[in-house]
Amino acid sequence: MSLIEFRQTAFRIGSKSILENFTLAIEPGETVVLLGRSGSGKTTALRLINGMHLPTGGQVLVEGRATTDWDLVRLRRSIGYVIQESGLFPHFTVERNVGLGPRLEGWPDARIAERVGAVLDSVSLPRDDFRARLPKQLSGGQRQRVGVARALAADPKILLFDEPFGALDPVTRLELQREFLRLRAEAGRTSVFVTHDVREAMKLGTRIALLQAGQLVFIGTPAEFQACRIPEARAFLEVFEDGE
Amino acid sequence: MLSDVLQDLLDEGLPLLGEHLVLVLSAILIASAIAIPLGVAVAANPRWRRIAIGIANIGQTIPSLALFGFLIPIPFIGGIGQHTAIIALVVYALLPILRNTVTGILGVDPAVRDSAVAMGMTDGQILRMVELPLAAPVIISGLRIATVTTIGTATIAAAIGAGGLGVFIFRGIASVDKVQILAGAVPSALLALAADGALSWIEKRWVAA
Ligand SMILES: Nc1ncnc2c1ncn2[C@@H]1O[C@H](COP(=O)(O)OP(=O)(O)O)[C@@H](O)[C@H]1O
Ligand SMILES: [Mg+2]
């Protein structure tokens, strides 16, 4: 059984079709990158996984159960979510931000404190330096690290990333991409990662799913992607080959 | 001589100040109990929001002396006395509190609300732990505006026998007695300034916890 499965999923708002006939199965341990131009439907696809959108056609299954049958609060608590502006709670310290998931799940205080320390360390933010800070006392890169730590804290099976490094300077971005690969090697979680950056997609994805105007036009490994003849893929690869 | 006059004013003034405070505090408490939950409830829906603020707006445009007058003949809620005055003051205090509650809730960064939903917080948890704490400075600012206005408007309550510092003012006007007028006007102005200062202080110091 796939961990996440889109089955002919459609999503419409009014008469406007955002996602059409979308079929994709994601296996445990994969990092599937959703690549596409802005407006191609990547965020929509991501939000269909944690039930922030419900399909208007077809189904999205998580652990074999349709999102429409899940208790959405339970579903979301088992999925970590990282977004571009990190969405950290500005009035919570780093410690409260990161500990929120476990707290909602009713973990005892001592276990929360231990877990918060461990995940902060794991994203290279020494716990004693960062615990008591407010988000406004962090750099952009540090905020994204805290965002990742917060998503990891309740030990979710699935992690969703929506252009998490999109607003960072190139050096910090590279650092965080390396961090991502290191964490993945250690924890082996399943991730779905949205980006419009083809280099990031090639670097991080075990498979790349290419979206164009709400349709899935390619799915395959980075090597397969590089050999792919679809015009939209060529357009992205031109950017890639133009780079380094 | 002069000190006798002052002594008389003080003897009568302190109870009137007390009545004034009761009018203002009851009106603000009742108005908050209505306007804050209402503001929270309508914030997300543009249509309900317009309707609620529209109604609160109408309340505020009725001239205050007229509103006190209107309420007197109404059975149960009307009549002469304190409770009628409090109802009128509540009508005036609703709008600033309602408007600021709505503004404060709408001002919460959508990315923050989004990640609260994505973390599996329930609507109640989002309201309690995220929206209200972040909206609090704006809501407190609405309370401040409402309180300052109510302290002024409450002087008119004396016209319908509700007491308060307005008693001095109305009596002073009737008997062309400047001392009496000032005895009502100065303390209510000072009260308004003190309330403004205290609530601004809380508003600025507010650190959502
Ligand atoms: N609430 C909405 N109402 C109308 N259109 C929307 C809404 N949200 C997204 N869209 C449209 O859906 C399309 C896909 O959006 P999105 O999934 O955010 O794309 P991406 O993340 O790839 O940039 C875009 O054309 C966008 O304008
Ligand atoms: Mg997007």
Side-chain angles (χ1 to χ4, degrees), chain A residues 95-116:
Chain A
E95 170 148 45
R96 286 193 69 196
N97 264 291
V98 175
L100 182 61
R103 178 147 285 127
L104 293 173
E105 287 292 273
W107 292 20
D109 286 351
R111 184 162 163 231
I112 295 173
E114 181 41 45
R115 179 69 184 159
V116 167

Side-chain angles (χ1 to χ4, degrees), chain A residues 47 73 76-77 81 87 91 150, chain B residues 114-115 117-118 120 125 129:
Chain A
R47 290 163 75 100
V73 165
R76 290 170 189 153
R77 285 192 194 167
Y81 187 67
H91 56 308
R150 180 172 70 171
Chain B
D114 235 34
S115 60
V117 174
Q125 287 167 334
M129 300 169 75

Side-chain angles (χ1 to χ4, degrees), chain A residues 13 16 18 37-45 162-163 194:
Chain A
I13 296 176
K16 190 175 171 199
I18 315 272
R37 302 179 193 226
S38 106
S40 58
K42 307 180 296 293
T43 297
T44 305
D162 196 349
E163 306 197 27
V194 163

Side-chain angles (χ1 to χ4, degrees), chain A residues 79-100:
Chain A
I79 298 178
Y81 187 67
V82 187
I83 56 180
Q84 185 165 327
E85 287 86 17
S86 82
L88 293 180
F89 301 118
H91 56 308
F92 280 12
T93 59
V94 165
E95 170 148 45
R96 286 193 69 196
N97 264 291
V98 175
L100 182 61

Side-chain angles (χ1 to χ4, degrees), chain B residues 86-138:
Chain B
I86 290 173
I87 290 168
L89 294 174
V90 166
V91 169
Y92 287 107
L94 285 176
L95 182 65
I97 304 175
L98 178 68
R99 197 174 40 206
N100 280 43
T101 303
V102 168
T103 307
I105 299 275
L106 290 182
V108 175
D109 181 356
V112 169
R113 188 179 288 110
D114 235 34
S115 60
V117 174
M119 292 190 75
M121 293 174 88
T122 61
D123 289 348
Q125 287 167 334
I126 294 173
L127 184 65
R128 220 162 11 85
M129 300 169 75
V130 180
E131 292 179 319
L132 283 178
L134 290 173
V138 185

